[in-house]
Amino acid sequence: MSDRIFGGFGLALAIFYIWAASTIKDSFMVDVVGPRAFPYIVGTIVGLCSIYFIVRPDDEPEWPQARAFAEIVFAAAVMFAYCLALPEFGFVISTIFATAYLTWRLGTAPLWSIVSGVATSVGIYVVFHLILGLSLAEGPLGF
Amino acid sequence: MEILSLLAEGFGVALTPTNLFLAIIGCFLGTLMGALPGLGPANGVAILIPIAFSLGLDPTGSLILLVSVYYGAMYGGRISSILLNIPGDEPAMMTCLDGYPMAQQGKAGEALSLSGVASFVGAFVATCGLVLLAPQLVKIALLFGPAEYFVLFTVAFATLGGISSTNQAKSAFAAALGLGIAMIGSDSQTGSQRFTFDHVHLYDGIDFLIAIVGLFALSEVFIFLEHHRSKQGVAPKAATVGRIMPDFGMIKRCIPSMARGTGLGFFSGVLPGAGASLGSFLAYSLEKQAVDRDGKSFGKGDPRGVAAPEAGNNAASGGALVPMLALGVPGSGTTAVLLAVLLQLNITPGPLLFTKNPDIVWGLIAALFLANFILLAMNIPLVGIFTRVLMVPTRILMPIVAMISFVGIYSITGSSFDVMLMVGFGIAGWVLRKLDVSLVPVILGILLGNQMEVNLRRAMTISDGDWFILVGSPLAIVLWLIAIAGFVLPMLMGRRMKKRMESMHDNEEFVGD
């Protein structure tokens, strides 16, 4: 069933892709094939493969239980939030929270997760910013 | 003779103090990445690419650092196979079969040093093979026109599914997905905007580093999150290392096994799509047939069963660089990631690389030789340090890996949008892996999409729109035949081979426990 649903998504993607390709504007420079031909070929392959998944699905993969699935959704949400927090709060503070969350959810006790978050954040800051000179996000406090 | 003088110049490049230092750091980090279960050479290089670039190293320096990571990770994979019975990466799977039983018999140190020597032999001979074979391949590649190049890229996609994916439709889907992503941005020929939907962040297209780090490194973090309940994220207890200095008698007895493993491994490395997993599998199974016909000693801690697959997978990793450097067509996941490194440095691999940037190619090859010696020196006396790293629980290490991925991408692009895109690729990578869709063709599609289209359009311009140009030369026809064979053969043989690989591993695990 998973493959069939996947095939359905793939087919929708292919149709959208081919439609989007048809809206590509020509420029004053022309070549024989044009900017739309290759995307049409690619979209057709995506579509044909998706139809194959619908007709001949593989064995069902092992999907995680609701709980593990929720873990992944939350982790992804935390990562997105981390991306948004970076320019607002700076690297060190955002990273402490993101790392502590991930470490906690991977099974470390809450207090130790915070310790690990602080250690990771400060460690990366020292090694990559202070020693190696990479530019990391600066927050209101300057780090 | 000419090759020798070029190689000497290469050593001149590789032996500067900075480059030597980078090679040592790369070997060390690579071995760590390889030793940690779950992080293979592809992830290891993927995580470190953005860091290497944001450090502002010169092209040769970045390349030396990253190929040292590549070779280091190939060496490191065996450490957790032997000590924990968990392969650090897929090619190290076969090393578990005899390596772990050896460790259980208290011979972990010997197994580690023996496999270190076997890795050295495999990788060293393969690097020599690279020196001899790549320039020959370049001569053929010079005959390629745009149409032949287009077909060559098709060969790369057709063969890349290889044995790792048995559903070729999924490999084709993955490749098309990657090609589709590569089309985003301004068209290189006419400048028309494609699939940008007037979103300013998409005008320049999607940087392949974002896709690579997201798909490889972050999806690994999600996989860990999913499975940590069953494993509890606690590091398993490793066997004690014991005596480290190699037993020369044992090494001597294993020399024929190493030689056979090296030959098979190099051959499967050069073949597009086969890669290191096939190399170690072939080396192990043929070794078993050659020296253990009654099936008494293999799987129970026979040193030859450690030497052959280790020589095989390291030889394959050197062999995989031949088509990557000479043709610009990577034969495996990690070489695809290395191709991304070259492209990011504005170096286009392929025949012209050898004439246009000889310092880079030969500096790189010299660095590979150097990395081998550094790794040999590092892996025998320092193996204790690497085993201690295995004791750090993954629940602490995985978040660090995730954060380093973020740091790398952010320090290159400085944009939250790109980092979010990376998380998006991470999630997509997790879903695709669940559905058994290989990620390597996606990466390859993103990397080669532009070149593939440019060559198609050039060929069309030459022929004035006649599609028959794609089958217009004997060379193109031969390439089409290879592509078809590469696409069809895994459907016939792949499933059986993968099953055998897995059942071999499962059986031995059962015996071992």
Side-chain angles (χ1 to χ4, degrees), chain B residues 267-285:
Chain B
F267 180 66
S268 41
V270 175
L271 283 182
S277 305
L278 183 72
S280 65
F281 171 71
L282 283 182
Y284 186 85
S285 10

Side-chain angles (χ1 to χ4, degrees), chain B residues 30-44 47 73 76-77 87-89 216-217 220-221 224 397-398 401:
Chain B
T31 312
L32 279 187
M33 296 278 185
L36 294 171
L39 290 181
N43 311 60
I47 295 166
D89 48 29
F216 280 131
E220 196 67 50
V221 176
F224 254 87
L397 281 172
M398 271 339 245
V401 167

Side-chain angles (χ1 to χ4, degrees), chain B residues 323-342:
Chain B
M324 200 275 269
L325 286 175
L327 302 175
V329 174
S332 67
T334 323
T335 42
V337 177
L338 284 174
L339 177 69
V341 177
L342 289 168

Side-chain angles (χ1 to χ4, degrees), chain B residues 57-131:
Chain B
L57 298 172
D58 64 276
T60 326
S62 328
L63 266 180
I64 287 177
L65 177 70
L66 291 166
V67 296
S68 307
V69 172
Y70 172 48
Y71 265 29
M74 295 301 301
Y75 268 69
R78 71 195 213 288
I79 297 176
S80 57
S81 295
I82 291 172
L83 292 177
L84 307 175
N85 202 22
I86 305 170
D89 48 29
E90 202 188 85
M93 211 155 104
M94 292 294 136
T95 313
C96 291
L97 305 183
D98 279 282
Y100 186 64
M102 272 183 87
Q104 283 184 317
Q105 294 157 19
K107 290 191 268 184
E110 282 162 88
L112 284 169
S113 51
L114 173 67
S115 57
V117 173
S119 300
F120 174 79
V121 172
F124 186 82
V125 174
T127 315
C128 295
L130 170 70
V131 170

Side-chain angles (χ1 to χ4, degrees), chain B residues 4-22:
Chain B
L4 283 181
S5 69
L6 286 165
L7 195 58
E9 277 172 43
F11 272 105
V13 175
L15 280 171
T16 60
T18 325
N19 288 344
L20 196 59
F21 176 72
L22 288 171

Side-chain angles (χ1 to χ4, degrees), chain B residues 221-484:
Chain B
V221 176
F222 288 122
I223 296 265
F224 254 87
L225 266 169
E226 182 192 340
H227 290 297
H228 80 278
R229 296 245 163 244
S230 51
K231 289 182 197 154
Q232 283 303 315
V234 179
K237 216 171 144 39
T240 40
V241 174
R243 200 167 74 102
I244 288 176
M245 273 323 280
D247 176 344
F248 283 103
M250 183 196 276
I251 291 177
K252 215 170 136 193
R253 202 155 60 90
C254 292
I255 287 175
S257 311
M258 289 182 206
R260 285 187 286 260
T262 302
L264 282 168
F266 183 71
F267 180 66
S268 41
V270 175
L271 283 182
S277 305
L278 183 72
S280 65
F281 171 71
L282 283 182
Y284 186 85
S285 10
L286 292 181
E287 195 59 28
K288 192 173 166 161
Q289 279 171 19
V291 298
D292 185 39
R293 285 214 191 89
D294 44 5
K296 286 217 173 99
S297 65
F298 265 52
K300 298 186 181 72
D302 190 315
R304 289 168 298 186
V306 176
E310 269 308 309
N313 80 41
N314 286 280
S317 59
L321 289 172
V322 174
M324 200 275 269
L325 286 175
L327 302 175
V329 174
S332 67
T334 323
T335 42
V337 177
L338 284 174
L339 177 69
V341 177
L342 289 168
L343 293 176
Q344 185 77 12
L345 294 167
N346 280 327
I347 301 164
T348 314
L352 293 180
L353 178 64
F354 282 77
T355 46
K356 256 169 58 186
N357 307 87
D359 51 329
I360 290 183
V361 182
W362 293 101
L364 173 77
I365 292 174
L368 289 172
F369 279 113
L370 214 59
N372 266 316
F373 284 101
I374 296 172
L375 282 164
L376 183 68
M378 216 178 245
N379 264 282
I380 293 182
L382 295 186
V383 87
I385 295 179
F386 297 115
T387 52
R388 229 159 284 151
V389 174
L390 289 178
M391 303 295 103
V392 179
T394 36
R395 63 196 151 90
I396 309 267
L397 281 172
M398 271 339 245
I400 299 179
V401 167
M403 290 306 142
I404 292 182
S405 313
F406 280 102
V407 168
I409 293 297
Y410 190 86
S411 56
I412 284 190
T413 66
S415 122
S416 316
F417 176 83
D418 286 340
V419 198
M420 283 206 268
L421 203 58
M422 178 181 80
V423 180
F425 272 109
I427 298 167
W430 179 75
V431 174
L432 291 175
R433 281 168 76 162
K434 281 274 139 193
L435 291 163
D436 205 18
V437 178
S438 168
L439 299 179
V440 178
V442 182
I443 296 290
L444 202 62
I446 300 174
L447 287 176
L448 298 181
N450 192 23
Q451 280 298 312
M452 192 170 180
E453 189 188 13
V454 166
N455 278 297
L456 175 68
R457 283 160 82 169
R458 262 189 216 145
M460 284 299 143
T461 310
I462 294 169
S463 72
D464 205 18
D466 183 2
W467 290 84
F468 279 102
I469 190 171
L470 297 180
V471 285
S473 72
L475 196 57
I477 293 171
V478 170
L479 287 171
W480 277 115
L481 291 176
I482 298 175
I484 293 167

Side-chain angles (χ1 to χ4, degrees), chain A residues 16-29:
Chain A
F16 173 75
Y17 193 80
I18 291 172
W19 167 79
S22 72
T23 65
I24 296 168
K25 292 187 187 72
D26 273 321
S27 84
F28 63 95
M29 290 166 68

